[in-house]
Structures are given as C-alpha cells and as structure tokens.
Amino acid sequence: FPVTIGADASLTLKNVFIGTTCANNTVGAIRLPSGDAGSAKWVFQNNYIVSPSFFIGTTNYASVSDFQTAHNQATNNLSGVINTYSNMSVKSNTALIHAGVFVGVLKDTTGNLYNNPPSVGAYEFVEERAVR
C-alpha cells in the first residue's frame, strides 16, 4: 500500500484482506488511472477492505460502495470493522465467512481446505468443535 495501477498494467485482486495503513503509517489507497474505471484489466472482487482511500484519476471516492459504483469490475467487496484476530484468521459470525470467490486454491496457509465459496483472506474459517 498504497497501490497505484498504471495505464498499461493489469491486476486481479480477489479474496484479500486490505488494511488501513502502510508500514510507514500512511493511509492506504487504491488508485486507478483516469478514464479506465470500467476496464476489465483491474478486477477487485470479494475483498475485505478496511477504510482505505479509492481514487480513479484525481477523483477520491468516499467509500467502497462509491468506488464500486464507478468501477464496474469492483464487486462484492466488504468494508467495516476488522473481523479477524491479530493473526488474521477469521472470527466467527462475520461477513468474511463464505464471502470469497473460488480461485483454484484448495488449502489455506495452515493446510485447512477452503470451502466453496471460501472465506475472505489467507485463512479459511473453521468452526471450533464443542468441548464436552
């Protein structure tokens, strides 16, 4: 972060957790070049985005929904309070569970099988087993 996408580039970003700040404590931003808001070269789908700034050219969009309205390849993204633990695993009863899109990856980073549709992020939500 910030992510700036140039005119000749392309990017598909799916099932990713995007935080609010960069390593240098600046506010994160996603920037698309002007005039290409509907381009299929930039796909943002089923991501969980915590309050970054969105720009198309010099236009700043106040929210994820405003950005998605202007950029028709940005769909099903979620925003709001953080729904993960400090290790970035998904909390129970959040909008991240089964909110992703299957991209061909079968297991998460810990070896758990992804559901279809998967949870958003690097970890699949696994319901804790009841203790007797």
Side-chain angles (χ1 to χ4, degrees):
F1 253 133
V3 175
T4 301
I5 302 172
D8 295 325
S10 65
L11 176 71
T12 298
L13 195 62
K14 296 181 179 181
N15 301 338
V16 176
F17 179 92
I18 302 171
T20 56
T21 57
C22 301
N24 61 359
N25 293 320
T26 59
V27 176
I30 294 175
R31 299 175 184 272
L32 297 178
S34 61
D36 290 320
S39 174
K41 295 190 298 185
W42 301 286
V43 177
F44 296 90
Q45 187 177 25
N46 296 75
N47 301 298
Y48 182 73
I49 305 165
V50 183
S51 303
S53 299
F54 294 93
F55 294 87
I56 298 177
T58 57
T59 305
N60 183 7
Y61 296 91
S63 68
V64 174
S65 60
D66 290 347
F67 179 76
Q68 290 180 154
T69 300
H71 178 56
N72 60 17
Q73 299 296 324
T75 57
N76 299 319
N77 295 291
L78 303 168
S79 66
V81 297
I82 295 177
N83 290 309
T84 61
Y85 295 105
S86 59
N87 68 356
M88 304 306 272
S89 62
V90 178
K91 291 181 179 180
S92 62
N93 300 317
T94 69
L96 302 181
I97 300 170
H98 307 302
V101 61
F102 184 70
V103 294
V105 178
L106 300 179
K107 294 183 179 182
D108 71 9
T109 58
T110 60
N112 292 314
L113 288 173
Y114 275 114
N115 291 306
N116 192 2
S119 297
V120 172
Y123 300 99
E124 180 60 28
F125 174 74
V126 177
E127 189 71 48
E128 292 184 25
R129 298 178 75 181
V131 178
R132 293 183 180 199

XYZ file of all heavy atoms in Angstrom, residues 8-60:
393
model
N -0.881 0.874 -18.402
C -0.594 -0.331 -19.176
C -0.546 -1.596 -18.315
O -0.156 -2.650 -18.799
C 0.745 -0.173 -19.919
C 0.672 0.924 -20.958
O -0.397 1.087 -21.569
O 1.669 1.623 -21.134
N -0.931 -1.494 -17.084
C -0.865 -2.633 -16.169
C -2.217 -3.329 -16.092
O -3.201 -2.879 -16.655
C -0.452 -2.148 -14.785
N -2.237 -4.472 -15.412
C -3.491 -5.146 -15.097
C -3.323 -5.825 -13.745
O -2.214 -6.129 -13.324
C -3.854 -6.160 -16.176
O -2.900 -7.198 -16.216
N -4.450 -6.049 -13.067
C -4.395 -6.646 -11.748
C -5.729 -7.302 -11.442
O -6.783 -6.731 -11.700
C -4.111 -5.577 -10.686
C -4.125 -6.031 -9.228
C -2.906 -6.893 -8.933
C -4.153 -4.834 -8.304
N -5.679 -8.507 -10.910
C -6.863 -9.160 -10.377
C -6.610 -9.377 -8.895
O -5.649 -10.034 -8.522
C -7.134 -10.502 -11.081
O -7.371 -10.260 -12.462
C -8.336 -11.194 -10.477
N -7.469 -8.808 -8.063
C -7.316 -8.884 -6.622
C -8.597 -9.478 -6.053
O -9.639 -8.839 -6.060
C -7.075 -7.482 -6.064
C -6.539 -7.354 -4.653
C -5.153 -7.998 -4.551
C -6.460 -5.894 -4.251
N -8.522 -10.739 -5.593
C -9.695 -11.442 -5.075
C -9.366 -12.062 -3.720
O -8.276 -12.580 -3.512
C -10.125 -12.562 -6.028
C -10.591 -12.084 -7.382
C -11.026 -13.253 -8.246
C -11.516 -12.796 -9.598
N -11.959 -13.928 -10.424
N -10.348 -12.017 -2.818
C -10.256 -12.672 -1.504
C -9.112 -12.155 -0.653
O -8.482 -12.904 0.083
C -10.109 -14.187 -1.646
C -11.245 -14.814 -2.392
O -12.326 -14.264 -2.468
N -11.007 -15.977 -2.954
N -8.835 -10.868 -0.704
C -7.696 -10.302 0.006
C -8.179 -9.403 1.138
O -9.171 -8.694 1.010
C -6.808 -9.491 -0.964
C -5.670 -8.805 -0.238
C -6.255 -10.400 -2.049
N -7.479 -9.440 2.250
C -7.724 -8.525 3.363
C -6.796 -7.346 3.178
O -5.577 -7.507 3.160
C -7.444 -9.231 4.692
C -7.656 -8.359 5.882
C -8.886 -8.326 6.513
C -6.635 -7.574 6.369
C -9.086 -7.521 7.618
C -6.821 -6.763 7.469
C -8.051 -6.733 8.097
N -7.355 -6.140 3.048
C -6.552 -4.938 2.837
C -6.735 -4.037 4.049
O -7.838 -3.572 4.331
C -6.977 -4.200 1.553
C -6.849 -5.132 0.348
C -6.141 -2.941 1.355
C -7.442 -4.579 -0.922
N -5.645 -3.786 4.779
C -5.707 -2.980 5.994
C -5.697 -1.495 5.717
O -5.671 -1.047 4.575
N -5.682 -0.716 6.798
C -5.833 0.730 6.671
C -4.533 1.490 6.503
O -4.541 2.583 5.974
C -6.536 1.307 7.907
O -5.799 0.932 9.070
C -7.949 0.806 8.006
N -3.421 0.971 6.991
C -2.197 1.761 6.951
C -1.057 0.982 6.335
O -1.029 -0.235 6.335
C -1.770 2.214 8.363
O -1.606 1.063 9.172
C -2.806 3.141 8.973
N -0.102 1.735 5.833
C 1.122 1.143 5.281
C 2.125 0.955 6.414
O 1.910 1.400 7.533
C 1.725 2.091 4.245
S 0.633 2.475 2.888
N 3.230 0.334 6.085
C 4.281 0.117 7.075
C 4.792 1.448 7.630
O 5.190 1.539 8.776
C 5.422 -0.674 6.449
N 4.757 2.493 6.817
C 5.233 3.802 7.284
C 4.101 4.652 7.871
O 4.214 5.865 7.978
C 5.938 4.546 6.151
C 5.006 4.808 4.977
O 3.842 4.420 4.996
N 5.520 5.476 3.969
N 2.982 3.992 8.233
C 1.829 4.613 8.884
C 1.096 5.633 8.016
O 0.399 6.497 8.538
C 2.213 5.241 10.223
C 2.607 4.187 11.228
O 1.985 3.128 11.299
N 3.647 4.459 11.994
N 1.245 5.556 6.708
C 0.438 6.393 5.831
C -0.857 5.667 5.517
O -0.930 4.448 5.587
C 1.180 6.714 4.513
O 1.475 5.479 3.860
C 2.458 7.481 4.779
N -1.892 6.400 5.179
C -3.186 5.797 4.869
C -3.095 5.075 3.543
O -2.546 5.587 2.567
C -4.284 6.878 4.814
C -5.608 6.279 4.387
C -4.415 7.547 6.164
N -3.619 3.852 3.487
C -3.604 3.066 2.272
C -4.527 3.642 1.213
O -5.514 4.287 1.513
N -4.204 3.400 -0.028
C -5.028 3.894 -1.125
C -4.942 2.940 -2.301
O -3.923 2.296 -2.513
C -4.569 5.284 -1.556
N -6.032 2.846 -3.038
C -6.047 2.130 -4.306
C -6.306 3.174 -5.371
O -7.284 3.915 -5.305
C -7.130 1.039 -4.316
C -6.787 -0.039 -3.291
C -7.268 0.435 -5.715
C -7.836 -1.106 -3.124
N -5.411 3.263 -6.356
C -5.518 4.289 -7.386
C -5.568 3.648 -8.773
O -4.692 2.875 -9.126
C -4.311 5.240 -7.324
C -4.186 5.976 -6.020
C -2.909 6.817 -5.983
N -2.745 7.438 -4.699
C -3.245 8.620 -4.359
N -3.945 9.307 -5.244
N -3.039 9.113 -3.167
N -6.584 4.005 -9.529
C -6.689 3.594 -10.930
C -6.450 4.811 -11.800
O -6.760 5.931 -11.406
C -8.081 3.032 -11.227
C -8.498 1.777 -10.474
C -9.921 1.401 -10.870
C -7.567 0.632 -10.766
N -5.915 4.631 -13.017
C -5.745 5.775 -13.902
C -7.101 6.319 -14.339
O -8.089 5.594 -14.379
C -4.969 5.204 -15.089
C -5.254 3.751 -15.062
C -5.482 3.380 -13.632
N -7.145 7.592 -14.656
C -8.411 8.186 -15.087
C -8.828 7.624 -16.437
O -7.999 7.216 -17.243
C -8.289 9.709 -15.183
O -7.303 10.058 -16.124
N -10.117 7.588 -16.658
C -10.657 7.160 -17.943
C -10.810 5.663 -18.097
O -11.376 5.207 -19.080
N -10.322 4.878 -17.162
C -10.375 3.420 -17.294
C -11.168 2.761 -16.169
O -10.919 1.623 -15.812
C -8.955 2.844 -17.317
C -8.210 3.194 -18.593
O -8.844 3.169 -19.658
O -7.023 3.505 -18.503
N -12.131 3.456 -15.610
C -12.850 2.950 -14.450
C -13.579 1.639 -14.733
O -13.714 0.807 -13.857
C -13.850 3.988 -13.958
N -14.036 1.426 -15.958
C -14.756 0.199 -16.265
C -13.897 -0.864 -16.905
O -14.396 -1.881 -17.365
N -12.587 -0.677 -16.936
C -11.698 -1.607 -17.618
C -11.631 -2.955 -16.909
O -11.469 -3.028 -15.694
C -10.289 -1.022 -17.706
O -9.409 -1.979 -18.248
N -11.721 -4.018 -17.680
C -11.607 -5.373 -17.129
C -10.164 -5.707 -16.755
O -9.897 -6.772 -16.213
C -12.132 -6.385 -18.134
N -9.224 -4.804 -17.025
C -7.831 -5.045 -16.644
C -7.635 -4.972 -15.132
O -6.655 -5.471 -14.606
C -6.911 -4.026 -17.308
C -6.860 -4.122 -18.818
C -5.764 -3.273 -19.413
C -5.931 -1.819 -19.129
N -4.933 -0.966 -19.788
N -8.562 -4.319 -14.411
C -8.441 -4.164 -12.970
C -9.673 -4.739 -12.314
O -10.751 -4.156 -12.342
C -8.290 -2.690 -12.600
C -7.077 -2.113 -13.254
C -5.777 -2.330 -12.905
C -7.048 -1.267 -14.390
N -4.930 -1.660 -13.742
C -5.687 -0.987 -14.677
C -8.008 -0.699 -15.198
C -5.289 -0.187 -15.717
C -7.611 0.100 -16.245
C -6.261 0.350 -16.489
N -9.527 -5.905 -11.709
C -10.654 -6.602 -11.087
C -10.432 -6.643 -9.572
O -9.427 -7.166 -9.109
C -10.783 -8.038 -11.645
C -11.908 -8.780 -10.952
C -10.993 -8.004 -13.154
N -11.353 -6.075 -8.825
C -11.333 -6.106 -7.366
C -12.603 -6.827 -6.944
O -13.697 -6.283 -7.053
C -11.324 -4.695 -6.778
C -10.093 -3.916 -7.127
C -10.053 -3.137 -8.262
C -8.967 -3.983 -6.324
C -8.917 -2.416 -8.592
C -7.825 -3.268 -6.648
C -7.801 -2.486 -7.792
N -12.484 -8.059 -6.479
C -13.675 -8.849 -6.192
C -13.525 -9.598 -4.883
O -12.498 -10.213 -4.613
C -13.917 -9.839 -7.337
C -15.211 -10.594 -7.221
C -15.421 -11.499 -8.423
O -14.476 -11.908 -9.083
N -16.667 -11.799 -8.695
N -14.569 -9.546 -4.065
C -14.649 -10.299 -2.811
C -13.470 -10.029 -1.873
O -12.936 -10.928 -1.252
C -14.769 -11.798 -3.089
C -16.055 -12.132 -3.804
O -16.165 -11.867 -5.003
N -17.015 -12.681 -3.114
N -13.083 -8.777 -1.758
C -12.028 -8.385 -0.830
C -12.648 -7.787 0.418
O -13.777 -7.318 0.405
C -11.105 -7.350 -1.475
C -10.460 -7.887 -2.733
O -9.717 -8.852 -2.686
N -10.758 -7.279 -3.870
N -11.901 -7.801 1.514
C -12.323 -7.128 2.727
C -11.402 -5.950 2.914
O -10.189 -6.114 3.084
C -12.246 -8.065 3.935
C -12.737 -7.394 5.182
C -14.101 -7.155 5.353
C -11.868 -6.972 6.158
C -14.567 -6.517 6.482
C -12.318 -6.346 7.293
C -13.676 -6.108 7.454
O -14.131 -5.465 8.567
N -11.951 -4.740 2.860
C -11.146 -3.532 2.800
C -11.497 -2.652 3.995
O -12.648 -2.264 4.169
C -11.411 -2.790 1.476
C -11.153 -3.749 0.306
C -10.547 -1.551 1.368
C -11.701 -3.276 -1.011
N -10.505 -2.347 4.812
C -10.730 -1.541 6.000
C -10.339 -0.092 5.705
O -9.179 0.280 5.801
C -9.939 -2.082 7.206
C -10.244 -1.269 8.456
C -10.251 -3.540 7.436
N -11.293 0.690 5.284
C -11.214 2.145 5.152
C -9.990 2.722 4.445
O -9.392 3.654 4.949
C -11.309 2.782 6.546
O -12.483 2.389 7.169
N -9.608 2.224 3.288
C -8.563 2.939 2.553
C -9.202 4.048 1.717
O -10.414 4.241 1.751
C -7.978 1.863 1.648
C -9.154 1.007 1.352
C -10.006 1.014 2.601
N -8.399 4.737 0.967
C -8.893 5.734 0.023
C -8.909 5.118 -1.365
O -8.029 4.343 -1.714
C -7.982 6.965 0.019
O -7.963 7.556 1.293
N -9.916 5.456 -2.161
C -10.043 4.960 -3.526
C -10.011 6.141 -4.484
O -10.770 7.093 -4.318
C -11.371 4.217 -3.713
C -11.459 2.953 -2.923
C -12.012 2.947 -1.662
C -10.980 1.765 -3.443
C -12.095 1.783 -0.931
C -11.048 0.596 -2.714
C -11.612 0.609 -1.459
N -9.155 6.043 -5.494
C -9.057 7.103 -6.480
C -9.168 6.518 -7.878
O -8.612 5.461 -8.163
C -7.688 7.811 -6.389
C -7.468 8.564 -5.116
C -6.960 7.929 -4.000
C -7.754 9.913 -5.042
C -6.735 8.613 -2.822
C -7.542 10.613 -3.857
C -7.025 9.964 -2.751
N -9.888 7.213 -8.753
C -9.831 6.966 -10.187
C -9.432 8.298 -10.780
O -10.191 9.271 -10.720
C -11.167 6.463 -10.750
C -11.542 5.120 -10.115
C -11.069 6.319 -12.274
C -12.887 4.567 -10.546
N -8.197 8.356 -11.303
C -7.630 9.648 -11.693
C -7.480 10.497 -10.443
O -6.925 10.057 -9.447
N -8.015 11.705 -10.456
C -7.938 12.585 -9.291
C -9.210 12.536 -8.443
O -9.306 13.227 -7.436
C -7.686 14.033 -9.722
O -8.730 14.433 -10.615
C -6.331 14.167 -10.403
N -10.189 11.719 -8.841
C -11.437 11.626 -8.088
C -11.271 10.677 -6.912
O -10.888 9.523 -7.082
C -12.590 11.124 -8.989
O -12.695 11.981 -10.121
C -13.900 11.111 -8.231
N -11.554 11.175 -5.713
C -11.464 10.380 -4.495
C -12.868 9.900 -4.134
O -13.787 10.702 -4.011
C -10.886 11.221 -3.363
C -10.695 10.432 -2.082
O -10.869 9.217 -2.054
N -10.342 11.127 -1.027
